[in-house]
Amino acid sequence: APWHLMMSLTPSRGCLLDLPWEDILVPHILCHLPLQQLLSLQRVSKAFQSLIQLYLANMRCFDSSQIGPAIPRAAFVNLLKDNEVLQKLALQNCSDWLTDRELLPVIGQNHHLHQIQLKGCAQLSRHALVAISLSCPNLRWLSLAHCEWVDSLSLRSLADHCKVLEAVDLTACRQLKDEAICYLVQKCGRLKSLSLAVNANVGDVAVEEVAKCCPELEHLDLTGCLRVKNDSIRVLAEYCPKLRSLKVKHCHNVAESSLSILRSRGVELDVEPPLQRALVLLQDVVGFAPFINLQI
């Protein structure tokens, strides 16, 4: 409805654009429209173009996926060149072209960012993470999944400067070893969610340090961490009373003997207990479902 209203009320009628831009149009009307439609609205008139530019300069959230499957490099630079008040930045559709050259100016002028999504942005470098750590002291949520350029030095910078982090996704950041993870959690004890998935270098030392340093931890993803064993899972159960979910699929050295402690507390696990796995197998292969109680 707001879209049709805008398209019908042209500047010549002196209605819509007579409303206060910063007090009414930007915070109460434009914010309800998809970003792609707002960009199209610029073509209505010069007045609308100025209005949309004002909106872009005052955006609190930028999500590249709202523009479409791919956003041109020049469009990204132009959209955010005047914005200094971003709080959330999601760039998951920019991996083909996003480099430090495009990202660093945006990070450098936005010191209020508390949520950043860079999943799969493979062409960035460690300098991007250092810039984030220096410019975003209030950062609480950061996804670096599949960013193999993340190394121990850049993660150390993040830990030193972003002390209020609550959620970090380091899935497939394969340069990181136990020492780097330990440093992060020692500095960022407020973590509630952490993913170390798909990292063969992460083992018991890191997991035990996570457990001891992060008492507020609720979600931990260790999928595919082949060096993690039962001992660290027991430590996790001892030190993290608020743990709600744990992923250990493909952790071949983690057995039910350690998981059962968490299972008894109602922690959500991504692997079934051995007995249930066996019963499900029987159900699938032999067809005994009517005769077996899977709740045993």
Side-chain angles (χ1 to χ4, degrees):
W3 169 251
H4 294 298
L5 174 65
M6 284 191 167
M7 294 304 292
S8 62
L9 294 175
T10 61
S12 62
R13 297 187 181 183
C15 296
L16 183 67
L17 293 177
D18 286 343
L19 293 173
W21 288 15
E22 293 190 35
D23 296 331
I24 301 296
L25 293 183
V26 170
H28 297 295
I29 296 181
L30 297 188
C31 62
H32 296 292
L33 296 176
L35 184 57
Q36 193 168 23
Q37 289 188 351
L38 288 174
L39 298 180
S40 299
L41 190 60
Q42 292 184 99
R43 297 195 291 268
V44 173
S45 68
K46 288 185 177 180
F48 270 113
Q49 183 179 25
S50 298
L51 173 61
I52 300 308
Q53 288 176 346
L54 176 65
Y55 172 80
L56 294 173
N58 287 277
M59 274 192 309
R60 299 297 194 271
C61 175
F62 179 81
D63 185 343
S64 61
S65 66
Q66 293 183 5
I67 298 178
I71 172 176
R73 182 197 313 256
F76 169 79
V77 172
N78 185 60
L79 288 174
L80 295 180
K81 61 183 175 60
D82 297 322
N83 193 303
E84 299 180 359
V85 294
L86 276 179
Q87 296 178 1
K88 298 180 182 180
L89 179 63
L91 300 177
Q92 61 269 42
N93 284 0
C94 307
S95 56
D96 290 341
W97 54 264
L98 185 68
T99 68
D100 293 353
R101 182 176 181 179
E102 292 80 32
L103 181 63
L104 264 57
V106 176
I107 297 298
Q109 66 192 31
N110 282 282
H111 304 292
H112 304 289
L113 280 164
H114 58 73
Q115 182 171 321
I116 299 177
Q117 161 70 275
L118 296 176
K119 180 179 180 180
C121 292
Q123 297 190 49
L124 298 174
S125 78
R126 59 182 302 273
H127 299 295
L129 186 53
V130 173
I132 289 170
S133 65
L134 295 177
S135 297
C136 309
N138 299 315
L139 192 65
R140 296 200 301 269
W141 190 96
L142 176 63
S143 175
L144 298 168
H146 302 281
C147 293
E148 297 195 21
W149 44 267
V150 176
D151 61 10
S152 59
L153 287 177
S154 57
L155 193 69
R156 179 180 290 262
S157 178
L158 179 74
D160 284 337
H161 296 94
C162 299
K163 302 293 182 62
V164 296
L165 278 168
E166 295 181 0
V168 180
D169 188 346
L170 299 173
T171 298
C173 292
R174 295 185 175 91
Q175 287 196 58
L176 301 178
K177 299 180 180 180
D178 283 350
E179 182 182 2
I181 304 303
C182 290
Y183 191 88
L184 172 69
V185 298
Q186 287 165 4
K187 296 286 187 175
C188 302
R190 299 186 186 183
L191 282 176
K192 295 181 179 179
S193 178
L194 177 64
S195 176
L196 304 174
V198 199
N199 192 333
N201 293 317
V202 170
D204 284 344
V205 172
V207 176
E208 290 182 14
E209 198 68 13
V210 169
K212 294 175 181 178
C213 294
C214 303
E216 303 296 316
L217 192 68
E218 297 178 3
H219 307 282
L220 179 62
D221 190 346
L222 300 174
T223 303
C225 293
L226 303 179
R227 295 177 56 232
V228 174
K229 302 181 180 66
N230 284 322
D231 288 345
S232 61
I233 301 301
R234 293 190 182 97
V235 174
L236 196 66
E238 179 181 356
Y239 283 89
C240 297
K242 297 183 180 181
L243 193 67
R244 294 167 51 193
S245 71
L246 173 66
K247 294 184 178 181
V248 288
K249 189 172 288 186
H250 307 302
C251 294
H252 304 305
N253 294 312
V254 174
E256 185 63 21
S257 58
S258 60
L259 294 176
S260 60
I261 306 169
L262 294 168
R263 204 184 298 278
S264 66
R265 285 179 11 199
V267 175
E268 180 184 344
L269 302 173
D270 63 343
V271 293
E272 296 173 337
L275 177 58
Q276 185 158 341
R277 284 202 297 272
L279 294 177
V280 170
L281 182 61
L282 281 173
Q283 175 182 331
D284 292 342
V285 176
V286 187
F288 283 170
F291 309 104
I292 297 177
N293 180 5
L294 294 182
Q295 301 304 316
I296 295 176

